[in-house]
Amino acid sequence: MDIVLETADAFLFDHIYAKLFPVPPAVTSLLQATGLSNELLLSLSKNLSLSYIPSEPYEYTFVSAPPAAYLSTIPRTNILRQSISLFLITWIFGALLYFLFASLSYFLIFDKRTMDHPKYLKNQMRMEIQQALSSLPLMSLYTVPWFVAEIHGYSHMYWDPNQYGKAYLFLQYPLFIAFTDFGIYLIHRGLHHPIAYKRLHKPHHKWIVPTPFASHAFHPMDGYLQSLPYHIFPFVLPLHKLSYLILFTFINIWTILIHDGEYMTNNPAVNGAACHTVHHLYFNYNYGQFTTLWDRIGGSYRTPEKSLFDQQTKMSKATWKKQASEMEKIVKEVEKEDNRQYLHDDAVEEKKEK
């Protein structure tokens, strides 16, 4: 995250902190008069703790520091400033990624006929977005200590591509997927324990037939716990800094794709949208994130029905009726009672009355 933080500092936060917490006018005048020479800045940094020192806490310098970087009494090396900046970056960037890719998925991929499913909720998409937006700030806050530890050099993240060899630049991707898939399987399955499910995971299972906007609609602690393997990996194994940003973006997109209801692959090894649809419908199956490996080993794998891969049968009333009937039995076992308000309940009641 040091690449992101340094970029955000250079283009945004340096100017904000210089405005909110300026150095004394006399120092500002001196800096401006001397043209902000590196020698003077480094000298002032030692005596007044005002300036940015590239080697602390950043191992590498990616973006040149603007003059504003030296004009705040709270320097870039201040851990509180770093924490606040990282929180804002994670929250805002996470929300932008969520809205951008969930919206693209909704408008370009998601089949709007899904809203006719008997288990689609009243105002579901609005509630999904509200749940996500209310949870993202806390999820971001919980994540900050990991990012602070990273930029202070406690992880195995690196920049020099030769440090672990060219082959590892490719090997790190399957290692990351394998490590995090196993970790998320364990955490996700644990969240289905009755105690954890009731207190943490139930909000995400409110969506029986999710839209792409359900992807981040978690209880904040639930979302954070399931993200832990992503943050733990670079503290266990090396990970290139650019690869980390690529994977961070990929994870967010993948999470949206497995909630979009478009079953593009029936590969038995991939825990894609079809497998995750089964999880939302029937609760106790397919806990994995990327592969079906650990569900198969753990006895929790359920093969998606063939009807899900046919554009006509997956949206047929017969398929939906079968799904709803089985779901109603399972939800009584898991939640005891179903207090969801379904969009089409009123229409069903009207038919019964007639």
Side-chain angles (χ1 to χ4, degrees), residues 133-165:
L133 291 183
S134 65
S135 296
L136 279 171
L138 276 176
M139 284 193 280
S140 302
L141 184 64
Y142 299 151
T143 304
V144 165
W146 294 98
F147 291 151
V148 171
E150 286 169 17
I151 66 172
H152 282 272
Y154 292 103
S155 73
H156 297 294
M157 285 204 210
Y158 67 100
W159 182 248
D160 182 359
N162 297 312
Q163 187 169 342
Y164 294 97

Side-chain angles (χ1 to χ4, degrees), residues 19-81:
K19 189 75 173 177
L20 295 177
F21 308 99
V23 297
V27 176
T28 304
S29 300
L30 175 63
L31 292 173
Q32 291 173 342
T34 56
L36 296 169
S37 68
N38 288 336
E39 293 78 8
L40 178 61
L41 292 170
L42 290 173
S43 174
L44 285 170
S45 72
K46 295 175 183 177
N47 295 306
L48 302 175
S49 297
L50 296 177
S51 70
Y52 160 59
I53 309 172
S55 60
E56 297 182 11
Y58 308 119
E59 186 178 356
Y60 302 95
T61 301
F62 302 97
V63 183
S64 298
Y70 309 97
L71 301 177
S72 173
T73 55
I74 302 180
R76 288 185 178 186
T77 51
N78 183 284
I79 195 167
L80 179 59
R81 166 177 165 167

